């Protein structure tokens, strides 16, 4: 299937205005493809990329040297995926193919939820920035100010895997940022539920990892207060969609 290209938009000014940075300190960024049909000009799909999480300083330092930790390593354009919810193929994506498509560059390692005020300095002097929440706000603000999202009438927020969890986490936050012109707003997390189960060897691997994501990335500020209160002694549980979703309006 022949697909259009999405172009990279980086936000260097948002380093100052929002404190928005990828893990390596490079600016927040997103890929954009404008609506291909005039009747879809006010319709938007905002898509959180997939990419897992980083669970330790060593893990995050390694990630910061990849496209999942740096906007500097993103290509200037990408071929719009031939399948899925941001495809511009009518056959593959009949409901949303003509809409404005935004793919939020996932470069923070915590589903756009990190909010640590200070960078973490690892052993070799590398600084790691946990600013996913600021990245999200900077991207939405730029879309509102410069790309026409301020005139939106329909918005679909989606994402897959770690991006699916992002859609759960930020469903209400994005809703609050959208203009009054929006008459229809929906959220479609895909593969975003990761259950708090022990392994077949009865090891508490995944929950322990996400507990460290919660702590190291300072994600509490991104999570619903009602969820944090409901799980006051285990607030990391709000990074699990199974516990989070009842707190999403």
């Amino acid at each position: 299937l022949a697909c259009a290209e999405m172009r990279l938009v980086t936000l260097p000014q948002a380093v100052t205005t929002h404190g928005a940075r990828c893990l390596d300190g490079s600016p927040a960024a997103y890929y954009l493809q404008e609506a291909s049909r005039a009747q879809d000009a006010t319709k938007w799909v905002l898509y959180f990329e997939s990419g897992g999480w980083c669970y330790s300083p060593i893990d995050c330092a390694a990630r910061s040297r990849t496209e999942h930790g740096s906007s500097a390593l993103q290509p200037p354009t990408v071929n719009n995926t031939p399948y899925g919810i941001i495809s511009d193929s009518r056959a593959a994506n009949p409901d949303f193919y003509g809409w404005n498509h935004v793919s939020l560059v996932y470069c923070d390692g915590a589903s756009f939820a990190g909010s640590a005020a200070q960078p973490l300095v690892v052993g070799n002097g590398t600084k790691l920035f946990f600013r996913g929440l600021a990245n999200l706000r900077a991207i939405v603000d730029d879309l509102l100010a410069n790309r026409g999202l301020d005139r939106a009438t329909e918005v679909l927020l989606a994402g897959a895997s770690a991006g699916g969890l992002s859609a759960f986490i930020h469903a209400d936050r994005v809703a609050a940022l959208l203009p009054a012109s929006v008459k229809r707003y929906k959220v479609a997390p895909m593969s975003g539920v990761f259950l708090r189960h022990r392994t077949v060897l009865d090891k508490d691997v995944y929950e322990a990892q996400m507990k460290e994501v919660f702590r190291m990335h300072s994600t509490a500020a991104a999570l619903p207060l009602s969820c944090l209160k409901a799980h006051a002694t285990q607030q990391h549980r709000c990074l699990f969609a199974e516990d989070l979703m009842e707190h999403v309006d």
Side-chain angles (χ1 to χ4, degrees):
L1 296 174
C3 293
E5 288 189 329
M6 304 182 78
R7 72 178 188 278
L8 182 68
V9 179
T10 57
L11 304 174
Q13 71 282 2
V15 172
T16 300
T17 59
H18 293 73
R21 296 176 182 265
C22 297
L23 280 171
D24 70 338
S26 57
Y30 60 90
Y31 284 97
L32 173 67
Q33 179 191 11
E34 287 93 350
S36 60
R37 305 191 308 171
Q39 61 265 43
D40 293 328
T42 61
K43 301 175 182 179
W44 293 77
V45 179
L46 308 181
Y47 181 81
F48 290 111
E49 296 178 349
S50 60
W53 307 272
C54 61
Y55 310 109
S56 69
I58 293 175
D59 189 20
C60 291
R63 186 184 179 99
S64 73
R65 297 187 290 273
T66 74
E67 70 277 8
H68 287 307
S70 174
S71 63
L73 299 177
Q74 306 293 325
T77 61
V78 294
N79 288 328
N80 197 2
T81 177
Y83 303 105
I85 209 162
I86 55 171
S87 172
D88 70 335
S89 164
R90 184 171 186 173
N93 186 24
D95 295 308
F96 308 107
Y97 74 95
W99 293 28
N100 296 284
H101 298 149
V102 179
S103 183
L104 287 75
V105 170
Y106 181 31
C107 62
D108 67 278
S111 289
F112 287 85
S115 60
Q118 300 299 323
L120 176 66
V121 181
V122 296
N124 61 0
T126 298
K127 290 183 178 180
L128 300 174
F129 295 85
F130 304 126
R131 303 284 177 78
L133 187 57
N135 291 353
L136 172 59
R137 182 60 188 263
I139 291 170
V140 174
D141 282 356
D142 188 71
L143 293 171
L144 289 168
N146 300 309
R147 307 297 173 185
L149 185 62
D150 59 316
R151 300 184 298 277
T153 57
E154 297 187 51
V155 176
L156 177 68
L157 184 71
S161 193
L165 179 61
S166 298
F168 278 113
I169 292 172
H170 302 295
D172 293 333
R173 175 171 291 104
V174 171
L177 295 173
L178 294 176
S181 57
V182 173
K183 305 306 180 186
R184 193 178 189 211
Y185 171 66
K186 302 290 183 180
V187 183
M190 294 175 282
S191 305
V193 179
F194 302 85
L195 300 178
R196 294 185 301 106
H197 284 310
R198 301 173 76 87
T199 70
V200 293
L201 299 177
D202 199 33
K203 301 292 185 181
D204 185 20
V205 175
Y206 184 60
E207 184 168 6
Q209 290 175 326
M210 294 305 283
K211 186 181 295 185
E212 187 61 14
V213 170
F214 177 86
R215 184 200 65 79
M216 183 175 63
H217 291 261
S218 298
T219 65
L223 301 169
L225 183 59
S226 61
C227 185
L228 296 173
K229 288 182 177 179
H231 301 285
T233 61
Q234 294 182 300
Q235 292 186 330
H236 69 279
R237 287 179 55 173
C238 297
L239 282 177
F240 290 83
E242 60 177 307
D243 295 310
L244 171 65
M245 62 176 65
E246 65 182 291
H247 301 277
V248 178
D249 289 339

